[in-house]
Structures are given as structure tokens and as C-alpha cells.
Amino acid sequence: MGVGCGVASGVATTFVGEISPLRWRGFYGAFFQNALVLGILVAQFASVYISTGLQWRIVVSLPGVFSIIQIALLPLRVESPSYLIKARHVTEARHALLKLRNGYDVSSEWQESLASLDNGAPSVRGSYAEPSNRAAATPAYPAPHLPDQPVDHNSSEATMKNNGSKILEKFSQSSSIASMQTRAASESGLSARVNIWQILCGRTRDDLRHLLICCTVLMALQQLSGISVTLFGGNDLAMAIFDSESPLSAPWACIVVCFTALPATLLCMLWVDKLGRRPMLLGSLGGMTICSVLISTGLFFGPSSMVMASVFLCYFMFNMGVGTIPWFMMAECVPAYALGPTTILACSLNWVLSLGLGLVVPIIENTVPQWLFVIFGGFSLIGFLFVMLFVPETMDRSVADVLIKHAGPMHVVIKYGKKNSIIKRSSGNNGSLASMKYKK
């Protein structure tokens, strides 16, 4: 079950990010966290009503029931166009994109997806193409950008077929030499796929080091901010706060804590595509820092009511930003050819930290419990400063737009107002997706 949850957390968020329209990525991406907190809330209710005697078997069997339902619904799912393009199934990708957008003009989105196909093709330089060779095969097809206007379905499909045939022709011409070198590389044991180490060393077509670190740190902050202790250790905290005369108050306090996440995720869904990712993350981490200080103050000096109120508010602020946004922000920062390794690294770190905190926190609680949330507040403050300095804004921006400004090693996020800044950022790798976007 643990392996299944770990795989699903990465695959589901990646899939949603790949099929979502540009202007609604935040709205659809937040559905994952909304479903997650809803499931936790249902589990909390089940633990109160059907966890005595032999009824615990019902609770254990519920995940299996939901899994069977999901398997039965899988044939209705439309495959990700990005995956189909990456797998060279361009015709299937065209039909999938048209089905997902349902009659709207997708020529601009299709063109960018084809550019991603060309950028992710196996090639020269060990397992990568030389920039000069890649630039020669860069497609450039003018297409109208009317994402919000419904158009004739057949006309849009004809435009996409035309672009698709051109890119495939270009790709077949440019890949004759590349395929020979790729075959030679595979025979010598080398892989043409991008892996985590190559991204960390900056040995990909687009230098993704800055974006990889941003995605990974945001996922780590989900655990380092102490939310697992607030959520799963809330019962012990509530039992210590409430009087022994009302022992039933503790589990219901935990249910109320979980319930606060629902309006928080709903508000995030509504606001994240209007306010932006950075403001939501800054507000979330800033609010959690203040709440951690209030919880620590209440544990040191009282009153206990301030502790529980701060716990409610802390979990609310968590789901308003840092609990929701990192799950779908990876698909907004990283191109398709490197999204898999990035998701594996970020999600694995998230679960490893969850395990580590589960082992370390009880030791801290038995020695210096009052200082526990001081530590978590410090991590939240560090996260606030990290987002302010390094995390880019991705709202209403394609992956290529993000790469134009933020490809490269770690750097402070600034607004590139001059054209020569963009040229400097992308000129080091003419075959990159960022340089292809800039040339258009």
C-alpha cells in the first residue's frame, strides 16, 4: 500500500499537469490536494465510528474498494498528449489533445508540444545532440494563438496534421545520424534517457539545476514545516490540552483540524490562477511561521485554547499554498523529457522526510516538547526566504517561457526586462527548448 501511494502521488500530479490547459493548471492541479485532504477526513471519521472490535477490518478494506473503482474507470481516461508525443505516437497525441480541449483552437499548444518532441529526441554528444545540430532541425511554424475561442474541429485538426507532418519529416531527416549514434550508445551500455544525475550536473539540453532544486525544496518544505506532526500527532496534542473530563474532545478536535483543509484547498483552487504561485506560497509559509510561534508560545506559557486555534490556522495556511502548489508546479517548470526524474527525486525526498520525522519527532517530544514547533517555525521561515529569493512565478507561462529566464545554476529570481538578458541565459545551448521559444 505504501508503494502504491508513493507511485500514485507522482504519477497523478504529473498526469494532471500534462493534460491541463495553460491558464487553468493551478485550478486542476489543486484537485490532487483536495482529494487527499478529503480522504484523510473520511479516514478520521472512520477511526471514530468503525474502529472498535472487528470493525477495523472495514477501515482496512476501504482502500481496496476505492482502488477497484479506479481500475474500472481507467478505460475512460484520455492518455496524456505529452506522453504520446514523447513516445512518438503523434497521431494518437493529436486526437487526445483535440478530445481534451473539445473544439477549441489548440494549434499553438500543439506546436509547443511538437517543439518538446524535437527537444527530447535522442541524439549526439554521448546521449545528447550538439546544440548546432539541434538548431538546424528546430521547427518554426506560425500558428494563431486563440486559446479561448471555439473553432471548427476539422479546421484545427487539419492545422495540427500539417504541423505534425512537417515536424515528423524534419525529425526523420535530422535523426538519421542521431539514430546511428544512439544505437551505438545503447550497444555500449549508455542510455539516451535523462536521469537525475545528469540534471544535477547540468548535462541536459536545458540547464535545469535551478528549477530542479526549487521543485525539490518545495516538496521538502511540506514535511519540514511540521505538518505531519500537526496532522498525525494532533490526537496526542489534543489529549494533552483538553481536560480528562472530556476525553472525546481530542478525536473531534483532530477531525476539525482536517476539516479546515477543505475550504483552504478550495480557496487555493480559486485564487492560485489569479494571484500567482509565489504570493500563495509566501502567504502560506509566512502564516505557518506565525502559527508555529503562537503554538510554541502557548506550549510555554498558555493558554491551551491558543495552541489549538493556532493548530487549526496552521493547517489551513499549509493547504492554502505549500501543501498544494508544489505537487503541480513541477510540471510547470520542467520540460517533459526531464519531468519523470524530477518527480521521482522530489516525491521520494518528501516521503523519506516523512519517515525521518516520524522517527525523530517522538524523541524531541520526550525531551524538549515545547521547542518542537520552534524548529518547525524556523524551517517555515527558511522556506519563506527561499521562495522569495529563488522560486520563479509560473502562472500563465509555458515551460519554455520559464526556461528562458530561469534555466541555469542557482540564481536569485529577478525580472528580465532586457532582451540581452534573455539571450545570455539561452545562448549557451542553442538546442534548448528555451532558445527555440525565443527564436519564435
Side-chain angles (χ1 to χ4, degrees):
M1 187 178 294
V3 173
C5 291
V7 172
S9 63
V11 174
T13 52
T14 300
F15 177 75
V16 173
E18 289 179 343
I19 67 174
S20 300
L22 180 63
R23 62 177 301 182
W24 295 106
R25 283 184 311 197
F27 177 81
Y28 290 112
F31 267 102
F32 175 81
Q33 183 69 8
N34 186 265
L36 189 65
V37 298
L38 182 61
I40 294 174
L41 182 60
V42 171
Q44 291 281 11
F45 271 109
S47 67
V48 173
Y49 288 106
I50 53 175
S51 61
T52 58
L54 298 179
Q55 293 178 334
W56 63 268
R57 299 179 181 179
I58 301 176
V59 179
V60 174
S61 64
L62 284 178
V65 174
F66 290 123
S67 298
I68 293 174
I69 295 174
Q70 288 181 315
I71 292 173
L73 295 176
L74 276 178
L76 303 178
R77 176 185 58 88
V78 179
E79 185 57 87
S80 164
S82 297
Y83 166 76
L84 292 172
I85 290 176
K86 187 177 180 180
R88 306 297 185 261
H89 301 309
V90 180
T91 302
E92 292 86 346
R94 182 176 66 245
H95 292 304
L97 186 59
L98 288 170
K99 188 173 182 179
L100 287 169
R101 301 299 179 258
N102 193 22
Y104 283 78
D105 182 13
V106 294
S107 55
S108 179
E109 183 178 359
W110 176 249
Q111 179 178 337
E112 190 159 330
S113 299
L114 292 176
S116 177
L117 161 83
D118 189 57
N119 188 60
S123 49
V124 200
R125 196 187 171 194
S127 59
Y128 300 103
E130 290 292 345
S132 59
N133 294 339
R134 300 297 305 159
T138 299
Y141 311 120
H145 182 58
L146 301 170
D148 299 322
Q149 300 296 326
V151 297
D152 179 65
H153 188 280
N154 294 329
S155 176
S156 179
E157 183 172 5
T159 302
M160 294 166 63
K161 283 183 178 180
N162 183 37
N163 288 349
S165 61
K166 290 181 180 180
I167 184 65
L168 287 178
E169 181 181 356
K170 290 276 188 179
F171 181 76
S172 61
Q173 293 175 357
S174 62
S175 62
S176 56
I177 299 178
S179 60
M180 296 172 59
Q181 298 196 8
T182 303
R183 189 161 51 249
S186 53
E187 289 175 356
S188 61
L190 299 175
S191 174
R193 295 176 180 268
V194 174
N195 57 49
I196 297 173
W197 180 250
Q198 290 165 339
I199 300 176
L200 288 172
C201 295
R203 289 160 47 194
T204 52
R205 293 192 178 92
D206 300 287
D207 193 341
L208 304 174
R209 286 176 289 176
H210 178 87
L211 298 171
L212 174 69
I213 293 174
C214 287
C215 294
T216 305
V217 171
L218 286 177
M219 291 296 287
L221 286 172
Q222 288 189 342
Q223 301 299 331
L224 295 176
S225 59
I227 204 61
S228 295
V229 178
T230 304
L231 182 60
F232 301 111
N235 188 64
D236 296 335
L237 182 62
M239 288 292 292
I241 291 175
F242 289 103
D243 297 330
S244 58
E245 299 177 357
S246 56
L248 293 178
S249 299
W252 280 103
C254 295
I255 291 177
V256 174
V257 170
C258 296
F259 184 79
T260 59
L262 285 178
T265 53
L266 291 175
L267 287 176
C268 183
M269 291 169 63
L270 296 175
W271 290 350
V272 71
D273 287 317
K274 297 179 181 179
L275 301 180
R277 283 50 166 164
R278 279 173 54 85
M280 297 289 288
L281 287 170
L282 290 172
S284 174
L285 290 166
M288 292 184 69
T289 302
I290 297 173
C291 291
S292 297
V293 172
L294 293 177
I295 294 173
S296 300
T297 304
L299 292 175
F300 273 109
F301 308 107
S304 59
S305 58
M306 183 176 71
V307 177
M308 286 309 301
S310 300
V311 169
F312 295 156
L313 185 58
C314 183
Y315 195 49
F316 181 89
M317 298 304 298
F318 172 81
N319 287 281
M320 277 281 290
V322 71
T324 304
I325 295 175
W327 289 111
F328 63 83
M329 198 169 179
M330 290 181 288
E332 298 182 330
C333 295
V334 181
Y337 66 87
L339 185 56
T342 302
T343 303
I344 291 172
L345 178 62
C347 292
S348 298
L349 180 61
N350 187 311
W351 291 110
V352 168
L353 288 174
S354 179
L355 173 63
L357 288 174
L359 299 174
V360 173
V361 166
I363 300 175
I364 301 177
E365 287 180 334
N366 293 329
T367 53
V368 284
Q370 294 86 353
W371 290 94
L372 181 60
F373 280 91
V374 174
I375 298 173
F376 292 144
F379 278 117
S380 297
L381 179 60
I382 292 173
F384 179 88
L385 296 175
F386 181 85
V387 172
M388 179 181 293
L389 294 175
F390 301 112
V391 176
E393 179 59 70
T394 59
M395 183 182 69
D396 292 336
R397 296 178 183 176
S398 65
V399 175
D401 293 329
V402 175
L403 290 174
I404 286 174
K405 295 183 179 181
H406 304 293
M410 287 299 296
H411 57 274
V412 176
V413 174
I414 58 175
K415 293 182 178 180
Y416 294 94
K418 297 181 180 180
K419 184 180 294 186
N420 58 359
S421 299
I422 300 177
I423 296 174
K424 182 178 180 180
R425 178 70 61 190
S426 60
S427 59
N429 196 348
N430 293 329
S432 68
L433 185 61
S435 62
M436 292 162 62
K437 176 74 175 180
Y438 176 71
K439 289 175 182 178
K440 294 177 185 178

